Amino acid sequence: MTRADDTSEVRDRLLGWLLPDGSPAGSLAQEDVERFCWYELPVKWMAEPAEYPHILTALAELLQDADRPRTAAVCTSEVTREILDAWQHSPDQGRAAYRRAVDASPVTPPDTALLTWGPVMGIDEAVARSNASRLLEQALDDSALVPGARGYAAARIKRLERWLTTPHPAHDGRTPLDAVHSERRRTWAEAPPAARRRLRGTVMELLSVVPEAPADTAEPLRWLLESVGDGVMLTQAGYLPRALVIEAAERYDWYLPGMVPRTEYDVVRLAELHELARAARLLAKRHRKLALTARGRQHLADPALLQATAAHAWFGDGVRAELAEAAAAALFDGELTLDDLTAAVHTLAAEAFTLADGSAPRPDDTRHFLWQWLRPGEALGFLAYRDRRRSTLSLTPTGRAAALTALRARAHAPRPAPWA
């Protein structure tokens, strides 16, 4: 139990807890001080709430003596008082208040377009995040970043992204971004069960290199976006205009020879594209007019962005995405019959998943999920069948690049659980 009248003992205990290696108080990172004040003190320390003010004042004095006034202010701030009060109400309220404060802290590294920090981290990611926090703290100390100033948020992200892509000695000369991605790929490839490990292991080497985005990636989607352009009038039923439907059927040989489709839903692959473009917010409807969004125009100008969005839409999320991983991995070896592809994917489905009633999936269940990947893949031009009887299918060149893009994105995604 801490004795409130013994400041020297409190200081010694604080130093032993926060700096067990004997480093000086001036080396404390602000994120470590925040963690202590907002979590460790109320949860892990043997101290009564009545003693908190004395403990925090002692820590603030230590930091003031080490010429760390901004970090010292954390100890006696209103935010710290509110968090400690929340812990007294309930653990749930305390944890929620703690998370809000951490998210709002100027030394918490923000997510960027290059990297979203994960709730579960490996060693490399934890080291990178800690160093990123110190980077931001130093910028605050030097007044290179000023919270609340105009352009602060953008400048913060720009500084962090520059650091993420610069070789760092903590990662043996690799960039922090490369180190985090490499670690995440390894964790992704090692996830149980054995069937998942086998399938992911076959593509691991391919994922170490950023795939190029062909200029004609997702060409049918590009054609649809360009054809809609500034706007087309939908039918009363909300379908694409018939002239556009006929053009799509003829352009891609998407309908029965010698026959003319009547509506969009006579051409299933066009309907898939339309739904995908709307879901991805590349096209938007106002009244009966369908037109490109600003996001859609941005995608038309950037093949890599179009590929990333199309690849994510193709793979989807959840179980569908896991089975899409397996299907893509199988097709990297060459063309397969639908039965052979189903068998390869079912190996994972049978080992890793159960149906809603708790039973194991049957091959027909796997084929049903597989079709949710095959239909948009064909519509996007990522999959090709050898003939109309669909005897065999394979990845097209753009499909191979898109599959690698989707697999890299999944392998590099933050982990919600150790083996996600």
Side-chain angles (χ1 to χ4, degrees), residues 271-291:
E272 288 273 359
L273 280 183
H274 183 187
E275 182 180 347
L276 186 153
R278 295 271 290 274
R281 296 180 288 111
L282 307 178
L283 296 175
K285 180 173 77 81
R286 183 176 177 81
H287 305 301
R288 278 181 53 199
K289 184 179 180 181
L290 183 71

Side-chain angles (χ1 to χ4, degrees), residues 13 37 42 45 87 100 109 136 139 143 145 156 172 184 191 195 207 209 211 281 287 307 338 343 357 407-408 412:
R13 189 176 174 201
C37 295
W45 257 49
W87 280 109
R100 286 194 300 271
L136 296 175
S143 298
L145 290 175
R156 193 165 172 250
D172 298 322
R184 286 183 178 180
L207 301 187
V209 179
R281 296 180 288 111
H287 305 301
Q307 173 166 279
L338 183 56
D357 62 4
L407 288 166
R408 271 178 61 89
H412 291 170

Side-chain angles (χ1 to χ4, degrees), residues 289-313:
K289 184 179 180 181
L290 183 71
L292 269 176
T293 62
R295 175 178 163 88
R297 295 185 188 281
Q298 183 185 18
H299 279 63
L300 277 178
D302 187 341
L305 185 60
L306 183 66
Q307 173 166 279
T309 296
H312 179 268

Side-chain angles (χ1 to χ4, degrees), residues 96-404:
Y98 168 51
R99 290 312 321 164
R100 286 194 300 271
V102 168
D103 290 344
S105 171
V107 300
T108 295
D111 294 337
T112 78
L114 296 178
L115 182 67
T116 297
W117 301 99
V120 176
M121 302 185 189
I123 294 174
D124 282 326
E125 184 170 354
V127 168
R129 191 184 183 283
S130 179
N131 285 333
S133 178
R134 288 180 177 270
L135 173 86
L136 296 175
E137 183 176 359
Q138 187 62 55
L140 292 165
D141 289 341
D142 296 341
S143 298
L145 290 175
V146 181
R150 184 176 181 181
Y152 164 71
R156 193 165 172 250
I157 288 176
K158 183 178 180 181
R159 180 176 291 265
L160 180 57
E161 289 190 333
R162 185 168 59 245
W163 177 83
L164 282 169
T165 53
T166 301
H168 195 283
H171 303 291
D172 298 322
R174 295 175 296 166
T175 69
L177 184 64
D178 284 343
V180 172
H181 280 172
S182 178
E183 181 176 61
R184 286 183 178 180
R185 284 198 303 273
R186 291 194 303 272
T187 303
W188 174 82
E190 293 166 1
R196 183 183 284 123
R197 279 196 291 267
R198 286 194 300 271
L199 286 163
R200 289 180 174 180
T202 63
V203 297
M204 264 292 284
E205 288 189 16
L206 297 174
L207 301 187
S208 63
V209 179
V210 180
E212 292 187 9
D216 62 344
T217 189
E219 194 278 332
L221 177 60
R222 171 177 290 278
W223 169 83
L224 177 61
L225 299 180
E226 291 174 340
S227 297
V228 170
D230 292 331
V232 297
M233 294 302 294
L234 299 174
T235 68
Q236 289 284 357
Y239 297 159
L240 293 169
R242 189 166 185 239
L244 198 61
V245 173
I246 293 171
E247 184 180 350
E250 293 176 348
R251 181 184 180 92
Y252 298 109
D253 193 22
W254 278 352
Y255 202 56
L256 298 173
M259 299 186 70
V260 179
R262 293 174 301 168
T263 73
E264 171 187 341
Y265 274 80
D266 288 336
V267 184
V268 176
R269 279 158 286 192
L270 179 58
E272 288 273 359
L273 280 183
H274 183 187
E275 182 180 347
L276 186 153
R278 295 271 290 274
R281 296 180 288 111
L282 307 178
L283 296 175
K285 180 173 77 81
R286 183 176 177 81
H287 305 301
R288 278 181 53 199
K289 184 179 180 181
L290 183 71
L292 269 176
T293 62
R295 175 178 163 88
R297 295 185 188 281
Q298 183 185 18
H299 279 63
L300 277 178
D302 187 341
L305 185 60
L306 183 66
Q307 173 166 279
T309 296
H312 179 268
W314 179 28
F315 271 53
D317 297 298
V319 174
R320 171 179 158 177
E322 290 243 18
L323 299 185
E325 288 181 1
L331 286 170
F332 274 120
D333 286 336
E335 66 180 20
L336 292 171
T337 66
L338 183 56
D339 286 343
D340 287 343
L341 181 61
T342 301
V345 175
H346 187 65
T347 301
L348 171 63
E351 192 170 340
F353 303 107
T354 57
L355 300 178
D357 62 4
S359 63
R362 303 177 301 272
D364 283 349
D365 299 314
T366 300
R367 189 183 297 254
H368 170 74
F369 273 105
L370 196 54
W371 274 114
Q372 297 178 38
W373 183 71
L374 296 174
R375 287 197 306 268
E378 188 180 4
L380 288 162
F382 293 159
L383 292 170
Y385 292 88
R386 182 187 291 178
D387 56 41
R388 288 189 178 279
R389 291 182 295 113
R390 299 187 170 190
S391 59
T392 59
L393 71 158
S394 60
L395 292 168
T396 64
T398 57
R400 185 180 178 87
L404 288 172

